[in-house]
């Protein structure tokens, strides 16, 4: 794929962003405070792509053995869309799905879909800001299968919506084989998403995931039987879903809710509440608007400590302290 791809597409879309994308992985929409950008930004600047190229050049200097890899994956490309298409095509290729064919398909989708162009950047920011193991944007782009599987889903979802359902399902199959992540191409997933580790993640056909959600490994958003139609969970904006959590049926997890690791959720979860256990029960409420941004999985510990201090019943029967002990022992 030549460098001319970045100027192709609907309306001769330039590969560099037409505007500064709204950054809200760590704060409110349009809050760019968490991203260091050049001081002389103009309407065509793409600070994330600029940062990725700078990171790649520094990495190449530190590890000369990676020069060819970094050049092929990042430095030879003119925009993030082209680099991401190259990375994903080489991850998903097989003897019948050739890398060159996939690069053409991916490039055509991304260069003609402004929604995907925004999402891939907001997702990158989510990985960098929320995953302490991700030290740079380039690390997510090159090495993190959570990011790779999420962007591969976005491409399959776009193809599904174009009516190319067989190709979308073929991609879903390869995504599952390569990344151990199974997301149906018809599922609807927002932007600013973190799939941390991602292994074993399952998201069903009619599931919906709001913006700024963080999902850990082994999460299942599944159905409860053989029924057809709308049958999968709806996850509200800013929710945090812990490792191994299973959420089943056409139920709603409210905005800013937290599902503890290993929980089985079968009923609606109110906004900004904490659900724990098998089956899950509501054990408290959160003060923070978006727990997905803080990634604080043990908030119930603080909740019960405050509750114990403020409750006059603790001294009489110790019930609240017992609950806290059972959860954290």
């Amino acid at each position: 794929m030549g460098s001319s791809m970045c100027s192709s597409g609907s309306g001769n879309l330039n590969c560099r962003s037409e505007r500064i994308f709204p950054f809200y992985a760590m704060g409110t929409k349009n809050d760019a405070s968490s991203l260091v950008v050049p001081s002389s930004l103009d309407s065509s600047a793409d600070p994330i792509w600029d940062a990725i190229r700078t990171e790649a050049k520094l990495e190449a200097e530190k590890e000369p053995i990676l020069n060819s890899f970094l050049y092929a994956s990042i430095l030879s490309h003119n925009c993030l869309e082209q680099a991401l298409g190259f990375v994903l095509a080489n991850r998903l290729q097989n003897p019948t799905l050739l890398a060159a064919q996939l690069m053409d398909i991916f490039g055509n989708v991304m260069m003609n879909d402004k929604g995907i162009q925004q999402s891939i950047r907001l997702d990158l920011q989510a990985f960098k800001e929320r995953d302490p193991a991700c030290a740079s944007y380039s690390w997510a782009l090159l090495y993190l299968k959570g990011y790779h599987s999420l962007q591969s889903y976005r491409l399959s979802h776009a193809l599904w919506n174009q009516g190319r359902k067989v190709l979308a399902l073929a991609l879903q199959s390869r995504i599952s084989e390569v990344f151990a992540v199974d997301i149906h191409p018809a599922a609807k997933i927002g932007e600013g998403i973190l799939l941390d580790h991602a292994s074993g993640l399952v998201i069903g056909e009619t599931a919906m995931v709001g913006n700024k959600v963080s999902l850990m490994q082994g999460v299942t958003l599944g159905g409860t039987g053989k029924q057809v139609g709308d049958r999968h969970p709806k996850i509200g904006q800013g929710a945090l879903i812990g490792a191994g959590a299973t959420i089943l049926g056409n139920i709603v997890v409210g905005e800013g809710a937290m599902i503890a690791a290993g929980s089985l959720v079968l009923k609606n979860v109110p906004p900004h509440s904490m659900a724990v256990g098998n089956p899950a029960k509501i054990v408290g409420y959160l003060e923070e608007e978006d727990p997905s941004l803080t990634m604080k999985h043990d908030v119930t510990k603080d909740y019960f400590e405050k509750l114990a201090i403020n409750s006059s019943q603790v001294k009489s029967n110790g019930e609240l302290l017992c609950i806290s002990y059972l959860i954290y022992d």
Side-chain angles (χ1 to χ4, degrees):
M1 184 182 301
S3 60
S4 61
M5 187 205 77
C6 288
S7 60
S8 64
S10 177
N12 291 321
L13 177 66
N14 191 281
C15 69
R16 293 174 65 82
S17 313
E18 290 186 342
R19 58 188 175 83
I20 301 303
F21 288 93
F23 298 106
Y24 54 75
M26 284 294 290
T28 58
K29 191 170 182 178
N30 293 323
D31 177 10
S33 60
S34 61
L35 183 71
V36 177
V37 297
S39 59
S40 58
L41 287 174
D42 56 47
S43 61
S44 64
D46 186 349
I48 287 185
W49 176 239
D50 291 341
I52 289 172
R53 288 184 59 84
T54 298
E55 293 162 1
K57 291 174 182 177
L58 292 174
E59 294 295 334
E61 292 176 1
K62 289 187 291 186
E63 289 290 351
I65 195 174
L66 295 178
N67 275 342
S68 296
F69 168 69
L70 292 169
Y71 180 81
S73 301
I74 294 177
L75 298 175
S76 65
H77 303 294
N78 295 329
C79 59
L80 176 57
E81 288 76 12
Q82 190 182 51
L84 180 59
F86 177 88
V87 171
L88 296 182
N90 281 280
R91 294 299 304 274
L92 295 173
Q93 68 171 324
N94 67 11
T96 56
L97 285 173
L98 303 182
Q101 295 173 324
L102 291 176
M103 287 172 63
D104 286 339
I105 293 169
F106 295 166
N108 182 64
V109 169
M110 285 188 283
M111 297 315 301
N112 288 281
D113 190 326
K114 292 184 179 181
I116 287 183
Q117 292 166 20
Q118 174 167 296
S119 294
I120 65 178
R121 289 165 172 82
L122 292 173
D123 294 340
L124 270 176
Q125 192 194 21
F127 276 77
K128 182 176 181 293
E129 297 293 350
R130 299 182 215 162
D131 183 356
C134 181
S136 69
Y137 296 115
S138 61
W139 283 19
L141 174 63
L142 295 175
Y143 310 120
L144 299 190
K145 73 174 184 177
Y147 184 74
H148 293 166
S149 58
L150 177 59
Q151 306 321 316
S152 299
Y153 147 77
R154 294 197 187 283
L155 292 164
S156 70
H157 180 69
L159 293 169
W160 181 274
N161 289 339
Q162 292 175 9
R164 304 177 71 179
K165 294 186 176 182
V166 174
L167 179 55
L169 291 171
L171 280 176
Q172 178 196 6
S173 178
R174 283 297 294 159
I175 295 166
S176 179
E177 291 173 5
V178 174
F179 303 124
V181 172
D182 193 355
I183 306 176
H184 195 283
K188 298 178 181 179
I189 300 178
E191 54 195 9
I193 303 297
L194 171 64
L195 304 185
D196 199 353
H197 301 292
S199 295
L201 179 75
V202 176
I203 299 179
E205 178 183 11
T206 61
M208 298 179 65
V209 177
N211 296 332
K212 297 190 287 185
V213 170
S214 294
L215 302 100
M216 303 299 290
Q217 70 271 18
V219 168
T220 297
L221 307 181
T224 58
K226 296 174 62 178
Q227 71 271 28
V228 297
D230 197 355
R231 61 193 185 278
H232 294 105
K234 313 297 182 284
I235 310 299
Q237 175 172 303
L240 173 60
I241 314 298
T246 300
I247 306 172
L248 300 179
N250 185 15
I251 61 175
V252 175
V253 174
E255 292 187 3
M258 190 197 78
I259 309 300
S263 297
L264 173 62
V265 182
L266 300 173
K267 297 181 180 179
N268 291 341
V269 176
H272 307 290
S273 63
M274 299 174 284
V276 178
N278 184 355
K281 297 181 180 180
I282 306 303
V283 298
Y285 290 85
L286 304 170
E287 296 179 357
E288 54 199 355
E289 181 178 356
D290 297 314
S292 63
L293 304 186
T294 64
M295 296 294 288
K296 188 177 180 182
H297 293 265
D298 61 345
V299 289
T300 48
K301 183 177 182 180
D302 293 336
Y303 171 80
F304 279 114
E305 287 177 351
K306 292 179 181 179
L307 192 62
I309 292 173
N310 296 330
S311 176
S312 60
Q313 298 178 358
V314 174
K315 292 183 179 179
S316 60
N317 56 29
E319 180 179 356
L320 295 177
L321 289 177
C322 179
I323 295 174
S324 182
Y325 175 81
L326 288 173
I327 291 177
Y328 285 96
D329 181 53

